[in-house]
Amino acid sequence: MDFLKELGIQDVNPGACYGPDGWITGDDREELVSLNPATGQPIATIKQANEDDYEAVMAKATEAFKTFRTVPAPVRGDMIRDLGNALREKKTALGKLVSLEMGKIQAEGEGEVQEMIDICDFAVGLSRQLYGLTIKSERPQHRMMEQWQPLGVVGIITAFNFPVAVWAWNTALAAVCGDPVIWKPSSDAPLCAVAVQNIANDVAKKHGYSGVFNTVIGKGRTVGERLINDSRIPLVSFTGSTNMGKRVGRVVHERLGNTILELGGNNAVIVTPSANLDMAVRSVLFGAVGTSGQRCTSTRRVIVHKSVKEKFMSQLLNAYKQVTIGDPLKEGILMGPLVNQAGVEEMMEALETIKKKGGKILTGGSTIDKDGGYYVEPTIVEAEHDWEIVHNETFAPILYILTYEDFENEALAWHNEVPQGLSSAIFTNNVVEAETFVSPVGSDCGIANINLGTSGAEIGGAFGGEKETGGGRESGSDSWKAYMRRQTNTINYSHELPLAQGIKFGD
């Protein structure tokens, strides 16, 4: 495949890098084979980083911070501008690799690379406005001000479902803030990390930096544990399951480090009597089936009013019949495979639980024997709102249908009763319902949308959620502050030494 060569992917690839000419090689390292989820066949191999490799990379990153933090932020922004342009040149190739290794269709793969480009553009502008406040002092001839200083090396741990975008969300902001990054990618998508590191290396070399963009590909118990326990890393950004996020939070906070946790989602769409059903159906279809249901923002639940349920379900079931399943790199395919066999087994186990509970499978529910890949049928289940399985996140294309009558006491209450709080949506033309949904008594999620779905967030708004979603925020708004340390300065330009609060100490 030509795009693999374009991205610098070899048959055997090193798994640790600290920048230009910084790939660490060696035959004694354990191998990780990356599989194509559409066929189950090998793509290429990684020589995984060991503890010595981690230490070598971390030492380079720590040393780089000493000088990188002194570089003016707009100059750091120039490098991120060039990173965005380099990604533009590799958009098609990198998008194809995301599809090949992770399984999302090519349009989504290229869309993920576009997110990387967009956040680079955002960060370039941000590099000229890392602003603080000036504060009026109570003491004569004193000035107070607030500054934001570079924080240090930022650890980034990413999941398989967005194997390149999440790195960029963190890295672009961290870099303009003056922080090197050390990245541990998912072992289900290691080649994507190699490709991104190659692109970043070219950009860093042009600007004369080493140790700013760093990668360690390896087992969680080897490099992952070292990373989260490393006191040289003041901030860890983790994307993954809630259970693992709780562990990361405990370990990092125990050493008084900071975290950005992007964890599970159990996202719902409320469909009201006044909803535009055509829009609602299209939105739910993409939200539930896109990325084969493997987005943290995937639509898991539809809470539909009984008066429109029959019509809505007729349209939705018909839409599901139109979903083409197969090789994500082929034209006309709308849904690719799950990322691995474990994902297939998790989905089938969830469906067995649903059947025992009395859930009615309206469509789907089976595996698909196709080309040796990890294919499943997108599934719709009629369920009850309070079932434990409905409150859990199954990372697969299972959609639960819940029927309500009362908006506040049922639809909103059921929407908020799950432990996760990432993304939410309502379809309504009733202004009272819409305003209530985004009010303090409405959706308890970090993202709440009116007349569009749960998936497809833009980088201009902060991304993240509440409750078991972790509370972290990435990307837009003022999320850059997480990558910096806050400092208050007071300057005395008088010839006196007054104390605050009018305190008198001695003569």
Side-chain angles (χ1 to χ4, degrees), residues 158-178:
T158 60
F160 72 85
N161 58 329
F162 279 84
V164 296
V166 175
W167 173 85
W169 294 349
N170 287 277
T171 298
L173 296 189
V176 299
C177 290

Side-chain angles (χ1 to χ4, degrees), residues 124-174:
V124 171
L126 183 66
S127 69
R128 293 184 179 272
Q129 52 180 351
L130 300 174
Y131 48 82
L133 301 173
T134 57
I135 306 157
K136 296 300 181 184
S137 173
E138 68 184 62
R139 290 169 283 185
Q141 294 180 287
H142 283 60
R143 179 167 65 86
M144 294 174 63
M145 66 180 183
E146 179 182 83
Q147 292 193 95
W148 293 88
Q149 307 284 17
L151 182 62
V153 178
V154 173
I156 304 172
I157 302 175
T158 60
F160 72 85
N161 58 329
F162 279 84
V164 296
V166 175
W167 173 85
W169 294 349
N170 287 277
T171 298
L173 296 189

Side-chain angles (χ1 to χ4, degrees), residues 34-35 37 43 96-103 188-192 339:
S34 175
L35 301 179
I43 305 170
K96 286 183 177 180
L97 177 57
V98 170
S99 296
L100 177 71
E101 189 172 41
M102 184 264 144
D188 284 314
L191 300 180
C192 287
V339 71

